[in-house]
C-alpha cells in the first residue's frame, strides 16, 4: 500500500465514524446522517485535506458540523 491508499482509507474511516456518531447523537437514521454529512462543508474540507482537518478527532468534527452548519439540520427536520 502506498501513502495515497492509506490516506484514502483513513479519510473513508473518518467519514464513517462521523456519520455514525452524528446519527447517534442526533437520534437520526444513518441514511439521514449520511445525507447531512455529504452536503456539508466539512465533507468538502476533509475530501480536499484543507487545513489538515482530517487529522482531528471524529467526535470533535461531528460537534463542529452540528454547531457550524445548523442549516443542514433544519432541512432534515422537515
Amino acid at each position: 500500500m502506498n501513502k495515497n491508499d492509506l490516506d484514502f482509507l483513513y479519510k473513508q474511516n473518518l467519514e464513517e465514524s462521523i456519520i455514525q456518531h452524528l446519527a447517534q447523537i442526533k437520534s437520526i437514521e444513518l441514511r439521514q446522517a449520511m445525507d447531512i454529512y455529504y452536503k456539508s462543508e466539512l465533507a468538502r474540507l476533509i475530501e480536499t485535506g484543507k487545513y489538515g482537518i482530517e487529522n482531528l478527532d471524529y467526535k470533535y468534527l461531528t460537534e463542529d458540523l452540528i454547531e457550524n452548519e445548523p442549516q443542514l439540520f433544519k432541512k432534515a427536520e422537515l
Side-chain angles (χ1 to χ4, degrees):
M1 261 192 178
N2 63 33
K3 184 180 179 333
N4 288 337
D5 292 339
L6 289 174
D7 287 344
F8 175 79
L9 288 175
Y10 177 79
K11 285 180 183 180
Q12 190 175 35
N13 288 335
L14 177 63
E15 290 177 330
E16 288 176 13
S17 295
I18 291 169
I19 291 166
Q20 288 177 348
H21 191 59
L22 181 61
Q24 180 183 14
I25 62 175
K26 293 298 274 184
S27 299
I28 58 177
E29 293 181 15
L30 280 173
R31 176 173 272 157
Q32 191 175 16
M34 189 182 308
D35 187 49
I36 290 168
Y37 172 75
Y38 284 112
K39 289 180 179 177
S40 72
E41 181 63 22
L42 175 63
R44 284 181 278 290
L45 291 173
I46 289 173
E47 179 64 30
T48 60
K50 285 222 173 189
Y51 314 113
I53 198 165
E54 72 277 6
N55 297 311
L56 297 173
D57 181 66
Y58 74 92
K59 290 180 181 178
Y60 171 81
L61 292 171
T62 304
E63 293 294 332
D64 184 75
L65 172 61
I66 293 167
E67 182 178 327
N68 292 307
E69 299 191 62
Q71 71 280 4
L72 296 174
F73 298 93
K74 290 179 182 167
K75 292 176 186 174
E77 293 172 0
L78 297 177

